[in-house]
Amino acid sequence: MPGSKGWKHVDLPRLERGYQLVTTGLGLADTFGRKFKYLRLSVTEVCNFRCVYCLPDGFAAQTCGSAAPGLLRSNEIQNLVEGFARLGVTKVRLTGGEPTVRADILEVAKAVKSVTGINTLALTTNGYRLKTLAGPLKDAGVDQLNISVDSLTRQGFHSITGMDRLDEVLAGVRAAQSAGFESIKINVVLMKDRNDQEIGDYLRWAKSEKLSIRFIELMQTHSAAGIFEEARLSLEPLRLRLVDLGFKPKTKALTEGPAQEYVHPEYVGSVGLISPYQQGFCDGCNRLRVSSTGALRLCLFGDETQSASLRDLIQSPSQQSELLHRVNTLLKLKPEAHGLHQGRLGNIQNLSQIGG
Ligand code: SAM
Ligand code: SF4
């Protein structure tokens, strides 16, 4: 069975016997009372950029040139999302790797959006194809876009991403604005001496345009240990700067991601901070992840005991009740928090493997 090897680590029959289902009236919940209305679905591990904190040597170097076998097909994705929608998920994010390297990304987006109960479809991209794809993605049902723009200078962008493509990516942001997306977020992984001197430029961007600039704290991964030591920055000084400037924290909706959003009456846009090392960050976890080959991943930084394949149960719509049962059962294994503070990085090498 393609993609099923990931769950050899999890004794499903024993788990299924030993735990009682707790599908609440409100949908999926774990043993810590957290509700899951948000699914992040990786549609490929392949990427054409070489971000210093993610794939510093490029995708081909990581995999010896071959992509992970057996990407989920769009009919499997539809069966999967139908199952999660029946469990109360209302928002799906397509991510990767770079989701737009998939030739059938529009078909995938349409398949997900066609599922009853999925109200919001989001996509995270490095923006390299957005100039031409923004309109078609909107027409295919994508509501929200996150676009990574780690520097606003050509040289800075090139040195962080390995690609001299700032102009194309900014043209992609403008194309997304013209296409009328309900929400556009700009992801910026904040790094010492690489882009922290540009914070003022990003804030000016948020002041004049309806965008949310998301500053993300650099996370440690196996592939990018060096850059973590060298460039990691706490976002706390930036938070204090925002408060000093008159920004106020905004209340979060249930399906919103991990960012704490800040708004200001004189800013058309807003600013978000994602601080995974902050105390209590995992308390508000509302998302589950599925890999591009169909493995449910309970925590971004979990090991193989927190990942299991669902692929054998998404071959036909008739398998829905077994799928729901397995997801519910696995959810009992979701840990209370990641182990980053204890140096436990889990078994993924970098975030391109599951989507950040
Ligand atoms: N390729 C797409 C992109 O870059 O937007 C989607 C996948 S990427 C893994 C998703 C997000 O994770 C990006 O915003 C990226 O900047 C972020 N990311 C990747 N590695 C990270 C790390 N080590 N620490 C913090 N953020 C990271
Ligand atoms: Fe590719 Fe996104 Fe990773 Fe950059 S962060 S290398 S664009 S997957």
Side-chain angles (χ1 to χ4, degrees), residues 292-336:
S292 57
T293 54
L296 175 69
R297 198 174 173 91
L298 297 167
C299 176
L300 184 52
F301 293 101
D303 60 20
E304 61 278 2
T305 63
Q306 289 151 29
S307 169
S309 182
L310 304 175
R311 195 159 197 177
D312 56 318
L313 297 182
I314 55 174
Q315 300 308 307
S316 146
S318 66
Q319 295 172 295
Q320 289 279 298
S321 59
E322 286 170 276
L323 174 66
L324 270 48
H325 188 245
R326 184 176 293 170
V327 172
N328 261 309
T329 306
L330 288 166
L331 203 56
K332 308 302 160 295
L333 298 175
K334 186 168 165 70
E336 187 171 14

Side-chain angles (χ1 to χ4, degrees), residues 176-299:
Q177 289 172 314
S178 308
F181 283 90
E182 73 182 39
S183 152
I184 301 175
K185 294 167 186 161
I186 304 296
N187 284 358
V188 187
V189 178
L190 198 65
M191 289 174 283
K192 188 161 48 176
D193 298 334
R194 292 204 173 238
N195 59 8
D196 60 329
Q197 69 284 9
E198 296 184 47
I199 289 175
D201 298 326
Y202 283 106
L203 293 184
R204 274 187 284 284
W205 200 10
K207 190 164 192 174
S208 58
E209 294 188 34
K210 193 172 169 287
L211 298 163
S212 170
I213 309 283
R214 302 301 191 83
F215 292 101
I216 307 173
E217 195 172 321
L218 181 61
M219 290 176 253
Q220 189 176 8
T221 63
H222 295 289
S223 298
I227 186 86
F228 180 79
E229 291 303 320
E230 175 197 315
R232 183 191 164 202
L233 277 179
S234 158
L235 297 187
E236 184 55 13
L238 173 55
R239 189 187 69 77
L240 294 174
R241 179 168 164 186
L242 293 176
V243 171
D244 230 37
L245 286 168
F247 280 87
K248 297 266 184 294
K250 207 178 128 186
T251 319
K252 274 201 210 185
L254 259 182
T255 51
E256 272 180 284
Q260 175 58 59
E261 198 81 19
Y262 289 82
V263 289
H264 190 294
E266 289 160 23
Y267 282 65
V268 183
S270 58
V271 178
L273 302 183
I274 302 183
S275 314
Y277 290 89
Q278 198 178 45
Q279 196 68 30
F281 178 78
C282 300
D283 297 352
C285 185
N286 61 354
R287 52 208 168 272
L288 295 170
R289 296 178 167 82
V290 172
S291 76
S292 57
T293 54
L296 175 69
R297 198 174 173 91
L298 297 167
C299 176

